[in-house]
């Protein structure tokens, strides 16, 4: 039931009862759901510089990972927080405690070795923003390809979504987003980071063996990083 309410909040976030989408979450009032796959939940209580983009991820148990993956994510979040003490890393989908695949709507999540992390944003006058600025669930605050940058999937992108309006008041925070990406890539436990080619170039990571394009049959990755762990 609680999951149903949370899902309704995600879909109808304009309701007053759901207005706390971006507020810090209170400590969980229930023990972690047992995981037959040995997965553990990411912290939802603010005890680490990590937070869900929306409380629904924790309420519906979509935040389970392997212990090794959790340790690596926490280490990366702490490193970014050390460089930018006002910064908390925002996470979205990981896996369910069951460890089962498929994990809709994702092609690859489910066994606790994947996480989606939001990129960072700033206002157009350069103020760091604490979370994805236009999104309810952490996804789809896309950073458009710069003029002249070729379309990696011309006419054949299955899940293409439009760029945000040019009138938006925010843009990518390049420094923090690059630091998060580089920190993850340096982690031994990280197998690869899926990212759009134009950001891979912008972050100086073009050709890096762990920075990979997701291909033309997956969602855009210039709003979030998909991280695969060993
Ligand atoms: Zn993903």
């Amino acid at each position: 039931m609680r999951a149903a309410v949370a899902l309704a909040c995600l879909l109808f976030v304009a309701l007053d009862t759901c207005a706390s989408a971006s507020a810090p979450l209170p400590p969980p009032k229930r023990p972690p759901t047992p995981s037959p796959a040995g997965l553990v939940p990411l912290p939802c209580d603010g005890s680490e510089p990590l937070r869900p983009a929306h409380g629904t991820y924790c309420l519906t148990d979509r935040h389970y990972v392997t212990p090794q993956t959790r340790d690596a994510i926490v280490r990366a979040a702490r490193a970014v927080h050390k460089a930018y003490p006002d910064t908390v890393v925002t996470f979205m989908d990981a896996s369910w405690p069951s460890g089962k695949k498929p994990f809709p709507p994702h092609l690859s999540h489910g066994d606790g070795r994947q996480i989606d992390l939001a990129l960072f944003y700033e206002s157009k006058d350069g103020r760091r923003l604490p979370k994805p600025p236009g999104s309810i669930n952490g996804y789809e605050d896309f950073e458009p390809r710069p003029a002249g940058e070729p379309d990696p999937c011309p006419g054949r992108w299955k899940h293409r979504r439009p760029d945000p309006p040019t009138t938006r008041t925010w843009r990518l925070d390049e420094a923090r987003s690059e630091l998060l990406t580089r920190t993850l890539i340096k982690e031994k436990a990280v197998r690869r980071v899926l990212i759009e080619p134009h950001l891979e170039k912008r972050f100086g990571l073009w050709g890096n063996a762990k920075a990979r394009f997701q291909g033309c049959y997956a969602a855009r990755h210039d709003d979030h990083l998909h991280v695969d762990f060993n």
Side-chain angles (χ1 to χ4, degrees):
M1 178 61 187
R2 190 160 57 161
V5 171
L7 184 61
C9 285
L10 199 58
L11 295 173
F12 304 108
V13 75
L15 295 174
D16 285 344
T17 50
C18 306
S20 60
S22 62
L25 288 171
K29 292 189 171 57
R30 62 187 174 109
T33 303
S35 168
L39 304 186
V40 292
L42 288 169
C44 296
D45 59 0
S47 58
E48 296 290 346
L50 270 172
R51 72 166 152 235
H54 191 282
T56 304
Y57 293 106
C58 297
L59 290 170
T60 56
D61 283 345
R62 297 179 73 90
H63 63 313
Y64 277 70
V65 292
T66 67
Q68 183 195 28
T69 296
R70 180 174 66 179
D71 291 349
I73 293 169
V74 167
R75 270 197 303 273
R78 286 178 181 173
V80 174
H81 184 71
K82 191 174 175 190
Y84 298 96
D86 59 345
T87 294
V88 171
V89 171
T90 299
F91 67 82
M92 287 86 85
D93 269 342
S95 297
W96 283 313
S98 64
K100 293 242 170 79
K101 291 188 172 191
F103 179 74
H106 301 272
L107 300 173
S108 59
H109 290 236
D111 65 4
R113 291 180 167 78
Q114 310 81 18
I115 187 75
D116 289 337
L117 300 175
L119 295 174
F120 293 109
Y121 300 86
E122 63 184 15
S123 64
K124 288 216 168 154
D125 58 3
R127 281 180 300 109
R128 289 199 289 268
L129 300 176
K131 64 184 188 64
S135 165
I136 295 168
N137 61 9
Y139 293 100
E140 300 205 350
D141 280 347
F142 301 117
E143 173 72 1
R145 271 182 289 124
E149 174 70 25
D151 184 342
C153 301
R156 57 193 169 88
W157 202 337
K158 192 176 175 197
H159 300 286
R160 183 187 289 280
R161 301 280 292 157
D163 285 345
T166 54
T167 53
R168 68 191 181 282
T169 57
W170 48 268
R171 64 190 174 204
L172 182 77
D173 181 332
E174 185 167 329
R176 287 190 298 166
S177 299
E178 178 182 329
L179 176 62
L180 174 62
T181 310
R182 285 183 176 274
T183 302
L184 289 163
I185 281 175
K186 276 190 213 147
E187 268 289 338
K188 266 191 183 165
V190 169
R191 187 164 68 84
R192 63 179 185 167
V193 176
L194 299 185
I195 185 172
E196 289 297 321
H198 72 92
L199 292 184
E200 190 181 335
K201 291 175 189 170
R202 203 161 150 183
F203 295 167
L205 290 166
W206 188 244
N208 185 293
K210 287 191 183 178
R212 307 284 289 276
F213 176 45
Q214 75 281 350
C216 301
Y217 291 90
R220 286 176 69 160
H221 284 71
D222 44 15
D223 58 333
H224 74 281
L225 304 171
H226 168 101
V227 191
D228 280 334
F229 294 82
N230 292 315

